[in-house]
Amino acid sequence: MEERLAFVEGAEQPLSMHPKKFALWLFIVSVVMVFAGMTSAYIVRQSEGNWLEFDLPNVFWYTSGIIVLSSLSIHWSYLAAKKDDFNSLKLGLLITALLGISFLIGQWYSWEALVGQDVYFVGNPAGSFMYVFTGLHAFHLISGVIFLIIVLISSLRNKIHSQNLAQLEMCVTYWHFLGGLWLYLFMFLLLNH
């Protein structure tokens, strides 16, 4: 019996993860797969010819800067929460949400710039891909802003602190993913345009 107990005591502990964090990671993997499939389809379709050449909207450079700044501000929020610096936590979340909304407004202006170049959703596949890439990313970013607002409300109710970080950690992970996804899409479009 003692040998059996020694074996159990010496056994490695399985890795554990909060179930909601695990679900978030599954969701992120599925989004990665969708965008990987779409960028692959873009390359295949582009190689077939009949591909409209147009300039990427300059606003993409600004929105890329905005998304990088938003990643910095949400990381600042996370560090503040770990130190129970509630004012910085709330301010960082508010700044991140405002930067997220600014990004979405910038994406709207990018669509206006595309229309100004006679690039539409319907017509040439090059334009269709551009609208699908930016629109699908914008949809996910809207969900990220909603998540940020939920976390901001939790922080205003003092539910986020150094002993209760799970909700904030999930929000930070999702937000950084969205930022990285946009930077990937932008670089992909720059290199394959």
Side-chain angles (χ1 to χ4, degrees):
M1 179 92 170
E2 286 181 30
E3 285 180 28
R4 186 170 160 225
L5 288 176
F7 175 74
V8 172
E9 288 176 14
E12 289 186 33
Q13 293 292 324
L15 295 176
S16 64
M17 179 183 283
H18 191 286
K20 290 181 181 178
K21 286 183 183 180
F22 183 72
L24 174 66
W25 279 107
L26 288 178
F27 176 72
I28 286 172
V29 167
S30 69
V31 173
V32 166
M33 293 175 71
V34 166
F35 278 94
M38 286 184 357
T39 53
S40 297
Y42 180 98
I43 291 170
V44 170
R45 179 57 186 90
Q46 185 182 39
S47 69
E48 293 176 1
N50 186 26
W51 195 259
L52 179 66
E53 296 294 327
F54 56 91
D55 294 326
L56 292 177
N58 286 331
V59 74
F60 282 177
W61 291 98
Y62 299 111
T63 54
S64 296
I66 289 169
I67 207 78
V68 169
L69 289 174
S70 73
S71 280
L72 294 173
S73 63
I74 199 164
H75 188 70
W76 175 50
S77 295
Y78 175 69
L79 295 176
K82 286 175 65 172
K83 296 176 188 173
D84 288 330
D85 180 356
F86 302 114
N87 290 331
S88 295
L89 164 65
K90 295 168 191 172
L91 180 61
L93 289 171
L94 179 62
I95 290 169
T96 305
L98 293 174
L99 287 169
I101 292 167
S102 299
F103 179 91
L104 291 167
I105 292 168
Q107 291 304 92
W108 180 263
Y109 284 124
S110 73
W111 290 346
E112 287 184 349
L114 290 170
V115 169
Q117 296 181 65
D118 293 326
V119 178
Y120 302 101
F121 180 74
V122 177
N124 191 280
S128 300
F129 272 105
M130 184 65 63
Y131 284 99
V132 170
F133 284 154
T134 57
L136 192 56
H137 181 266
F139 173 76
H140 286 94
L141 204 93
I142 289 168
S143 71
V145 169
I146 292 168
F147 195 4
L148 275 167
I149 292 169
I150 291 167
V151 173
L152 178 60
I153 290 169
S154 292
S155 73
L156 292 171
R157 294 178 177 162
N158 297 319
K159 292 183 178 180
I160 296 177
H161 47 78
S162 62
Q163 302 301 310
N164 187 19
L165 293 172
Q167 185 183 39
L168 177 62
E169 288 171 343
M170 289 187 308
C171 187
V172 169
T173 299
Y174 187 53
W175 196 259
H176 285 316
F177 164 71
L178 291 173
L181 178 61
W182 172 252
L183 294 176
Y184 162 74
L185 286 173
F186 183 43
M187 294 307 297
F188 174 83
L189 291 170
L190 282 174
L191 296 172
N192 294 291
H193 188 66

